Amino acid sequence: MTRTASTSPWEEIVTSALLGTVRRTPSAGLTPAGKDAPVALLDAAALHTVRRRAGLRPAASAGGTTDPAPDDARPALPEPARRRLVQLLADRAGTAGSGGRRGTAPDLTELLPQWLAAANDHGYRAPASTLPALLDAARARTDLRPRALEFAGPRGLWLARLNPEWKYALRGGSAGSALPSVDDAEAVRTLWEEGLFAERVALLAAVRAHDSGAALTLLGTTWSTERAEDRLMFLDSLRAGLSDADEPFLEQALSDRSRNVRSTAAELLSALPGSALAGRMAARAASCVAIDRSGDTTAAIAVEAPHECDADMQRDGIVPTPPSGRGERSWWLGQLVEAAPLSVWPGRLGGRSPDEIVALPVSDGWADELHAAWCRAAARQRDADWSRALLGSPGTPPSTGPGTTSPAERSRLLAALPEAERAAWVARFIAAHGLPEAFQLLGVCAVPWAEPLGQAVVDALEIARDAGSYPWSFSGVMGLAERCLSPEEATRLEVLTATPDDQEGASPGAGSYWSEAFQRLVATLRLRATMSRELAP
């Protein structure tokens, strides 16, 4: 085989190993001379494995030395936790998720994100020897990256510069970079102008946490020269700590040359009820929605959707062209209502509360469009009162709820509620409707699940088992339970690990599957408890 410029030595070694040295002979110079081809290939594989684990690509010729890794002052991991990390990283090649798994062993792949979150909460630094495997794990799984890069710290970022396979770390987040003091104006300016994107994002967040005005000033110094995708990400970082002080900057961004930047600026402004944009949207939306006073019948909401999308509306973030299959007027109406402050509606609709407004009939078939827009507004503005009204009672059938029938919309509304209330609502929902309708809702509940929610999930799983339900359809919920149930539930769950008697009409092998699943759940909860003890200072 003739190696091309794009084929790395490691790729060539792997190809030869898979096909055999008779069918695919490695290039001259890649394997040591004087040995049989299979033995030479194994020697070359060993050599390149060491090089890959070191994190530094071998240089073509002798050159300058690499700067030493920066210090990381965070405390070292306790030795049991270090050994656990090595075990978790060694097992990371497994497929993420637990759907369809058999056996009783915990899924270490799915415990790694939780372990990293706990280690970061304790403020530990990553052992230097684990950095290559940690960066490889985060390269393979994007969901790991924020936690993994935070744990890797400044040394992880230093190492990522030496291997093109880890270049994601240089643009994917803060990467734990060592930042200058926010009071050192010269160092801040230098890093902002010369740093990697990840460092600049972290620096902007640090300055904003200290002084939001200084952060906006810093961003303004280079805003006009930034790439569109970078402007978008910098703008998105303003979500944290968003306040009325950001309005002037966001108003200017409404005229940005990038449509995505304009859209994000409008979204952020609409989350500020006192902003000028919110006022403009309130006036537009209010002109479209009112109480129907045409007769003596029960009060209803009348809707007159916009007849055009003018230039001012487009500057304020209204997208003029609807998706395929969507009418223009309903598309414009939905965007206006979504962006308008929810506080406008009680006064506009007769002094009614959110519950009373949501309960009103809506004329001419506009109810679904109006309620869906209110749902998006409540989620965007994190308004608990409107979220409660639109969610309705957890016992109400999902198809007839007051605000939305979409699990995704319900999840966003739940996120606006306090954690305890959120868990209690989902627990009652599961008790009324079972687990199939609740899977997406469970994802927005705080971990570990509060006792009422954990109890509701376990009860529903036990009911499904005793009814002989098709077990594999609950594998996703079981996987969530492994990660989210409180470890204290392990003892109470022991009784469910026994193999139940086969039920008439049950799926073949269902009892054995349920037994394995509950054994795995108990083992996982106990392992999580052990991991917590290992991480304790």
Side-chain angles (χ1 to χ4, degrees), residues 221-260:
T221 60
T222 59
W223 180 258
S224 62
T225 60
E226 302 285 359
R227 301 188 310 166
E229 55 266 39
D230 292 350
R231 293 199 307 278
L232 181 62
M233 293 192 69
F234 286 138
L235 199 63
D236 197 63
S237 71
L238 299 183
R239 294 181 191 277
L242 184 68
S243 71
D244 291 337
D246 299 316
E247 181 180 359
F249 185 87
L250 294 173
E251 273 285 343
Q252 291 182 358
L254 289 176
S255 301
D256 195 90
R257 56 188 179 274
S258 164
R259 187 181 60 140
N260 289 334

Side-chain angles (χ1 to χ4, degrees), residues 251-428:
E251 273 285 343
Q252 291 182 358
L254 289 176
S255 301
D256 195 90
R257 56 188 179 274
S258 164
R259 187 181 60 140
N260 289 334
V261 171
R262 296 194 302 270
S263 177
T264 300
E267 179 188 345
L268 293 174
L269 282 167
S270 68
L272 297 173
S275 69
L277 179 136
R280 296 192 295 270
M281 291 299 194
R284 292 172 181 136
S287 69
C288 299
V289 181
I291 291 293
D292 185 357
R293 305 183 187 279
S294 60
D296 297 329
T297 58
T298 303
I301 296 176
V303 174
E304 180 67 26
H307 290 273
E308 64 173 344
C309 182
D310 59 33
D312 288 339
M313 289 170 61
Q314 293 181 44
R315 181 182 181 275
D316 283 348
I318 303 301
V319 178
T321 305
S324 177
R326 185 79 177 273
E328 283 186 336
R329 296 183 65 200
S330 65
W331 173 243
W332 299 333
L333 173 73
Q335 293 180 81
L336 289 178
V337 174
E338 176 184 355
L342 289 163
S343 58
V344 74
W345 299 115
R348 177 64 175 166
L349 301 176
R352 293 174 171 83
S353 68
D355 290 287
E356 293 169 332
I357 291 172
V358 171
L360 287 172
V362 182
S363 61
D364 299 327
W366 285 104
D368 288 346
E369 185 66 56
L370 187 60
H371 287 178
W374 276 336
C375 285
R376 296 192 297 273
R380 179 186 294 188
Q381 298 171 37
R382 301 192 66 81
D383 190 300
D385 290 336
W386 274 88
S387 293
R388 291 186 191 98
L390 291 160
L391 282 166
S393 168
T396 302
S399 60
T400 60
T404 177
T405 61
S406 162
E409 287 285 4
R410 283 198 295 270
S411 297
R412 286 191 281 271
L413 292 172
L414 280 168
L417 302 182
E419 288 183 358
E421 183 181 353
R422 194 185 314 166
W425 196 96
V426 177
R428 294 197 299 272

Side-chain angles (χ1 to χ4, degrees), residues 111 114 117-118 121 147 418-424 426-427 441-458 479-490 493 521 524-526 528-529 532:
L111 291 181
Q114 197 169 83
D121 287 342
R147 297 185 184 100
E419 288 183 358
E421 183 181 353
R422 194 185 314 166
V426 177
L441 308 183
L442 289 168
V444 299
C445 294
V447 177
W449 288 333
E451 194 278 334
L453 177 57
Q455 181 68 56
V457 171
V458 173
L480 269 180
E482 291 172 16
R483 300 188 295 277
C484 302
L485 269 177
S486 171
E488 297 174 357
E489 299 285 341
L493 288 166
L521 175 57
T524 301
L525 295 179
R526 288 181 171 154
R528 285 174 50 207
S532 295

